[in-house]
Amino acid sequence: MFFHIVLERNMLLHPRYFGRNLRDNLVSKLMKDVEGTCSGRHGFVVAVTGIENVGKGLIRDGTGFVTFPVKYQCVVFRPFKGEIVEAVVTMVNKMGFFGEAGPVQIFVSNHLIPDDMEFQSGDMPNYTTSDGSVKIQKDSEVRLKIIGTRVDATEIFCIGTIKDDFLGVINDPTTV
């Protein structure tokens, strides 16, 4: 789920940032550029934790910009098939529901919801057990298992299930 890895990036810096605070400007630009982004290979970059090395800059012809190779340590979030995560439900419809676990959006199909839960439409759509004791609706917290992932260049999508032992609603917003 969370990994501490070393990545490299070529940073392009404008000449106005040259001077005494060159390294600080480079680090702040790196943090602004990479934190919160997603690479399909490594996952979502949560935070830059350190700078290992800043290489020698190379002046770009005709512009004055300088490219610095930067090697940095960061924490990344990468979900895997078979992993158990806790998510907040963001949308419920007759096809299933969507939940968010941090930056990852997870879809749980109605086929992957226990058979004793039925969809209830109305002003607040939800899935409710036949006895009404458990309800999945917007803002409910659920524990689910990731059964599939699809990785794009800049995004990760997941399919989950709550049709297993110890999975399902862990916090219902209506009971708080």
Side-chain angles (χ1 to χ4, degrees):
M1 179 179 291
F2 290 99
F3 301 97
H4 194 239
I5 62 173
V6 176
L7 295 175
E8 281 188 60
R9 182 178 180 99
N10 287 327
M11 297 298 301
L12 197 62
L13 203 60
H14 190 274
R16 76 172 147 239
Y17 297 113
F18 299 168
R20 185 180 323 182
N21 299 329
L22 176 69
R23 184 178 170 88
D24 294 338
N25 291 330
L26 199 60
V27 170
S28 65
K29 184 173 183 339
L30 174 75
M31 289 178 164
K32 191 178 105 195
D33 288 354
V34 301
E35 287 181 351
T37 62
C38 176
S39 98
R41 184 171 176 208
H42 302 290
F44 294 91
V45 178
V46 177
V48 174
T49 58
I51 305 298
E52 282 200 357
N53 184 26
V54 176
K56 291 187 177 185
L58 183 66
I59 299 172
R60 307 276 302 245
D61 290 337
T63 64
F65 281 84
V66 176
T67 303
F68 291 93
V70 180
K71 191 182 262 190
Y72 60 98
Q73 301 168 353
C74 61
V75 175
V76 295
F77 174 72
R78 174 113 158 95
F80 287 98
K81 184 178 175 181
E83 192 168 15
I84 307 294
V85 295
E86 293 180 0
V88 176
V89 176
T90 55
M91 187 177 82
V92 179
N93 61 34
K94 66 181 179 182
M95 302 302 290
F97 67 86
F98 286 92
E100 287 182 352
V104 177
Q105 190 167 46
I106 304 166
F107 177 68
V108 179
S109 167
N110 60 3
H111 301 294
L112 300 170
I113 296 173
D115 296 331
D116 68 330
M117 297 190 92
E118 283 195 27
F119 178 71
Q120 309 290 321
S121 60
D123 59 337
M124 184 66 97
N126 61 66
Y127 282 89
T128 310
T129 54
S130 52
D131 64 355
S133 62
V134 178
K135 186 184 283 189
I136 297 173
Q137 62 186 13
K138 188 177 185 318
D139 296 327
S140 294
E141 293 177 22
V142 294
R143 183 175 294 124
L144 51 87
K145 181 178 183 179
I146 296 174
I147 59 169
T149 59
R150 188 181 94 220
V151 178
D152 284 349
T154 59
E155 222 170 346
I156 300 173
F157 302 98
C158 295
I159 302 292
T161 182
I162 59 171
K163 211 174 189 179
D164 214 344
D165 292 338
F166 307 109
L167 301 179
V169 178
I170 54 176
N171 189 12
D172 189 356
T174 58
T175 60
V176 175

